[in-house]
Amino acid sequence: MANEDTWRAELARHAPAAGLTEPAIDALVTWLSQLERWNRVHNLSAVRDPQQMVSRHVFDSLSLRPWLHGERILDVGTGAGLPGLILALADAYAPDGDAAANRRYCLLDSAAKRVRFLRHVIGLLRTENVEARHLRIEQFAPQTPFDTLVSRAFKAPAETLQRAGHLVAPQGRVLAMLGPADRAREALPAPWSYHAVEPVTIPGEHAPRHIAIIERTAP
């Protein structure tokens, strides 16, 4: 209970900047509580300090929100739901009329224990804008491509594009979460290129963080 109070206070303190509503904070506290509980057995995350769980998981994931494009979002190698489930929970409780409420998320992971956890949380919260799929990328064949693909700790940008770029719609984009900006100097496979590399500030974190916005090069 003490940890839940800590999480709630920290989320509420930064709620205006992060665009979080009170119901979204409640949902995120539930996710944090369930992650802490499941971590004791399943080792879903190496981050166990309650304060760091908010900064390194929640706020780090939410830093992607300004650059999400379209309504269909794919998170590859989502793990415990980072960043996809965090973004989905924030969007599920977005204010009426906010375009974020129309976004739908697909969380992809090859580890059964992680997908069991995700489905448990999704069912517990009755969240309807997100689904978790237990598949490798090579097995995934959606009928409709995605508007945005997000990647937090899956692969380096070039390898992510090689393995998952075909899942992105022609006018879609890939958002890669990086540390130092020089990570974005890596060459990308055609027809992809860096549209922008944006610095982000994460509450409670001092290490450099950047979002690489990757799009197809115009012919």
Side-chain angles (χ1 to χ4, degrees):
M1 187 65 181
N3 284 348
E4 291 188 6
D5 291 341
T6 298
W7 295 328
R8 190 177 301 278
E10 187 65 10
L11 289 168
R13 188 158 70 96
H14 297 282
L20 295 176
T21 61
E22 189 64 32
I25 291 174
D26 292 339
L28 290 168
V29 169
T30 296
W31 175 82
L32 286 161
S33 178
Q34 292 300 311
L35 178 61
E36 184 181 54
R37 184 175 302 173
W38 280 58
N39 234 5
R40 297 169 190 157
V41 177
H42 298 290
N43 193 30
L44 298 173
S45 169
V47 179
R48 296 175 182 271
D49 177 83
Q51 199 76 25
Q52 290 183 346
M53 288 172 71
V54 176
S55 60
R56 295 188 181 181
H57 288 338
V58 177
F59 290 134
D60 192 48
S61 297
L62 292 175
S63 68
L64 286 171
R65 288 187 91 191
W67 295 284
L68 293 173
H69 167 73
E71 295 183 355
R72 287 175 48 78
I73 316 297
L74 173 64
D75 180 5
V76 293
T78 187
L82 306 166
L85 185 55
I86 303 302
L87 293 165
L89 294 178
D91 286 355
Y93 301 98
D96 292 341
D98 192 318
N102 296 323
R103 289 198 285 252
R104 297 293 179 268
Y105 290 80
C106 180
L107 315 179
L108 202 64
D109 204 278
S110 61
K113 66 178 181 180
R114 296 172 187 154
V115 175
R116 283 197 301 270
F117 168 73
L118 296 171
R119 289 174 176 170
H120 166 72
V121 174
I122 291 168
L124 185 65
L125 293 170
R126 300 181 181 179
T127 308
E128 297 182 354
N129 68 339
V130 59
E131 64 170 342
R133 305 287 298 273
H134 178 212
L135 288 170
R136 299 182 63 83
I137 286 177
E138 294 79 9
Q139 301 170 307
F140 191 39
Q143 292 184 341
T144 305
F146 292 86
D147 300 307
T148 300
L149 182 151
V150 297
S151 173
R152 184 176 189 248
F154 175 62
K155 299 289 182 183
E159 186 173 352
T160 296
L161 293 169
Q162 289 170 346
R163 296 185 61 185
H166 66 286
L167 300 172
V168 182
Q171 302 303 316
R173 62 173 43 168
V174 174
L175 300 180
M177 305 178 74
L178 308 175
D182 57 11
R183 285 281 308 277
R185 293 175 183 168
E186 174 187 0
L188 300 178
W192 299 94
S193 63
Y194 292 105
H195 173 74
V197 179
E198 301 286 351
V200 293
T201 300
I202 311 299
E205 292 293 309
H206 301 291
R209 299 289 292 161
H210 294 79
I211 306 295
I213 304 166
I214 302 169
E215 297 179 348
R216 288 182 176 85
T217 304

